């Protein structure tokens, strides 16, 4: 592995440690201050983040293929046009999706949370929508930083966002309760987007201060790959909210909160591996411009490292679940241990395929990945609902696993 790739992998893993640590502190403060039921309402509201990603995440993902391809040919103007067009399309699609989903989604969540929380759901919706829009903008910009092999700058942006979000939460939670949680998340996502944009303009100085030029031919190229990636994003983004809603229907608000933090814990551990491998996409594009032997050597080494990292990280997560759950929530929580163990087993198998996924992505060949993502969503519903009928919340999580 080349030094830039190794450094990018380490920075990507470090970013996930920062993000995971911030999430651990954020939810730990909320649960200890407010209890799991109120945090369960917030968790249901945050399903909106998955719905928001239905709009434009495919465009942002396409950056990871096109920007390295332009830069490996020395076409900096093409990279600039690609980034600006992607950002404009993503903002427009996120805004449209949120506008369409806002009132129907509010009604669904209010019905699940119950009449006593109807006014709270209403108060959370606007800042939650702004948070989701900032997530879309920030994810596009940070994808561009990864595509330009600057995960170190992503790390700085995520660290600034984590500090901002925790500062707002700590300052407001005693007086404003769970409302402080959503404003803290908004402060985090907005800070990440702003800092990442400043960093990206240092790497690609041709970028405008405020992007306003949409290039239609570039948008069509992005849509060609982005449509495939969008459907994959829809399928993957739908998995957790489907499970949350099934738990909310067959279980309790507290179970929703416990599942949310258990799933985030496992996903964060997996993200250490995913983030470490993400620079592989750009590296494969550059290696392919050199020789096929360079691609094969890079791919083989990444497979071996992925196997070791996946087994170590996810086994450690399952083993640490009793201690993490008690530290996080302040109580011994058997549901957290059970959910974490099941999810670790399921995501281990999925994680071993990541080098193949990134290799296919670097070639723009994503049909089989699309089929896999759709299968994941279909099986989550087909197994989760009948298992939940028999086993309640535990069955819904088992279906996802």
């Amino acid at each position: 592995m080349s030094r830039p790739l190794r450094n990018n992998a380490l920075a990507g893993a470090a970013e996930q440690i920062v993000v995971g640590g911030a999430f651990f502190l954020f939810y730990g403060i909320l649960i200890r201050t407010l209890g799991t039921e109120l945090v369960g309402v917030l968790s249901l509201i945050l399903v909106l983040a998955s719905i928001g990603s239905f709009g434009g995440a495919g465009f942002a993902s396409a950056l990871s293929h096109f920007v390295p391809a332009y830069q490996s040919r020395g076409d900096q103007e093409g990279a600039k046009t690609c980034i600006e067009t992607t950002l404009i399309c993503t903002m427009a699609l996120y805004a449209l999706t949120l506008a369409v989903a806002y009132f129907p989604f509010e009604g669904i969540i209010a019905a699940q949370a119950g009449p006593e929380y109807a006014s709270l759901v209403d108060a959370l919706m606007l800042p939650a929508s702004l948070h989701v829009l900032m997530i879309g903008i920030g994810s596009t910009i940070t994808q561009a930083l990864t595509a330009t092999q600057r995960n170190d700058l992503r790390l700085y942006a995520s660290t600034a966002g984590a500090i901002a979000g925790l500062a707002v939460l700590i300052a407001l939670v005693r007086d404003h309760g769970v409302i402080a949680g959503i404003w803290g998340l908004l402060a985090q996502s907005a800070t990440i987007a702003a800092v990442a944009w400043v960093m990206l303009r240092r790497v690609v100085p041709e970028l405008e201060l405020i992007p306003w030029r949409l290039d239609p031919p570039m948008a069509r190229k992005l849509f060609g790959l982005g449509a495939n990636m969008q459907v994959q994003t829809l399928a993957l983004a739908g998995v957790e909210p489907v499970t949350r809603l099934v738990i909310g229907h067959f279980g309790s608000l507290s179970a929703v909160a416990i599942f949310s933090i258990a799933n985030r814990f496992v996903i964060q551990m997996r993200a250490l591996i995913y983030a470490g491998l993400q620079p592989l996409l750009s590296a494969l594009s550059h290696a392919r411009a050199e020789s096929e032997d360079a691609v094969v050597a890079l791919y083989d080494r990444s497979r071996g490292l992925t196997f070791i990292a996946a087994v170590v990280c996810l086994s450690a997560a399952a083993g640490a679940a009793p201690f993490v759950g008690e530290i996080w929530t302040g109580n011994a929580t058997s549901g957290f241990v059970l959910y974490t163990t099941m999810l670790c087993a399921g995501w281990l198998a999925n994680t071993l395929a990541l080098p193949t996924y990134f290799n296919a992505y670097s070639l723009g060949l994503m049909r089989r990945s699309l089929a896999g993502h759709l299968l994941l969503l279909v099986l989550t519903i087909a197994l989760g609902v009948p298992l939940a009928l028999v086993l309640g919340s535990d069955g819904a999580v088992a279906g996802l696993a």
Side-chain angles (χ1 to χ4, degrees):
M1 235 185 254
S2 67
R3 184 170 177 78
L5 178 57
R6 183 165 56 249
N7 290 347
N8 270 300
L10 290 172
E15 181 192 0
Q16 294 308 313
I17 291 172
V18 168
V19 171
F23 184 88
F24 183 92
L25 290 172
F26 197 94
Y27 270 80
I29 292 168
L30 279 175
I31 288 174
R32 287 169 179 265
T33 306
L34 306 174
T36 55
E37 189 159 303
L38 279 171
V39 177
V41 177
L42 178 62
S43 296
L44 285 175
I45 287 288
L46 291 176
V47 174
L48 189 63
S50 298
I51 293 175
S53 69
F54 290 2
F59 272 97
S61 298
L63 275 176
S64 300
H65 171 75
F66 284 107
V67 170
Y70 283 120
Q71 292 193 321
S72 65
R73 298 196 299 265
D75 185 0
Q76 196 73 352
E77 185 63 28
K80 172 231 178 184
T81 303
C82 182
I83 291 169
E84 291 190 348
T85 299
T86 303
L87 188 55
I88 292 168
C89 290
T90 301
M91 286 191 291
L93 289 168
Y94 262 81
L96 178 62
T97 304
L98 289 169
V100 171
Y102 189 99
F103 291 108
F105 181 78
E106 181 180 8
I108 292 170
I109 297 305
Q112 286 226 332
E116 66 271 32
Y117 294 122
S119 60
L120 176 61
V121 170
D122 182 61
L124 289 170
M125 279 297 296
L126 179 58
S129 299
L130 294 173
H131 167 57
V132 173
L133 182 60
M134 287 296 107
I135 287 176
I137 295 169
S139 67
T140 302
I141 301 169
T142 54
Q143 282 274 14
L145 285 171
T146 294
T148 56
Q149 302 186 50
R150 293 306 305 266
N151 270 10
D152 57 327
L153 301 182
R154 277 188 64 146
L155 172 60
Y156 300 152
S158 294
T159 301
I163 293 170
L166 285 169
V168 169
L169 176 69
I170 292 168
L172 299 179
V173 68
R174 291 290 180 187
D175 293 331
H176 299 281
V178 76
I179 300 291
I182 197 64
W183 283 107
L185 290 172
L186 175 57
Q188 177 178 341
S189 57
T191 301
I192 289 172
V195 174
W197 181 246
V198 172
M199 298 295 184
L200 182 60
R201 292 189 72 241
R202 288 177 53 193
V203 179
V204 187
E206 295 86 356
L207 289 168
E208 303 287 346
L209 179 61
I210 299 175
W212 58 275
R213 293 181 181 175
L214 188 149
D215 185 74
M218 180 65 71
R220 285 192 291 270
K221 289 175 68 175
L222 288 163
F223 183 78
L225 178 60
N228 182 301
M229 296 305 301
Q230 186 64 42
V231 177
Q232 292 189 47
T233 301
L234 289 174
L236 187 60
V239 166
E240 184 184 1
V242 162
T243 307
R244 285 194 201 188
L245 293 173
V246 172
I247 292 172
H249 184 75
F250 292 102
S252 65
L253 288 173
S254 293
V256 174
I258 295 301
F259 164 74
S260 297
I261 62 175
N263 188 60
R264 181 57 184 265
F265 174 51
V266 176
I267 291 297
Q268 203 64 52
M269 292 297 289
R270 179 181 180 268
L272 290 173
I273 306 162
Y274 184 91
L277 282 172
Q278 207 170 19
L280 182 65
L281 177 57
S282 179
L284 284 166
S285 296
H286 288 282
R288 194 162 281 114
E290 296 175 15
S291 70
E292 194 62 27
D293 288 343
V295 175
V296 172
L298 183 58
Y299 176 70
D300 284 345
R301 187 168 185 187
S302 69
R303 283 202 308 171
L305 290 172
T306 300
F307 179 82
I308 295 169
V311 171
V312 170
C313 284
L314 292 172
S315 297
F323 311 102
V324 172
E326 187 163 356
I327 293 170
W328 206 345
T329 65
N331 299 292
T333 308
S334 58
F336 181 87
V337 177
L338 177 62
Y339 295 169
T340 298
T341 303
M342 289 193 290
L343 292 168
C344 281
W347 281 113
L348 174 61
N350 180 283
T351 302
L352 296 177
L354 283 176
T356 306
Y357 169 82
F358 284 120
N359 185 51
Y361 200 169
S362 71
L363 292 165
L365 303 174
M366 298 301 286
R367 288 186 180 180
R368 292 184 181 181
S369 177
L370 173 60
H373 280 77
L374 291 173
L375 184 61
L376 177 62
L377 178 60
V378 169
L379 288 176
T380 297
I381 299 170
L383 296 175
V385 172
L387 285 172
L389 280 167
V390 178
L391 301 174
S393 302
D394 296 350
V397 181
L400 170 57

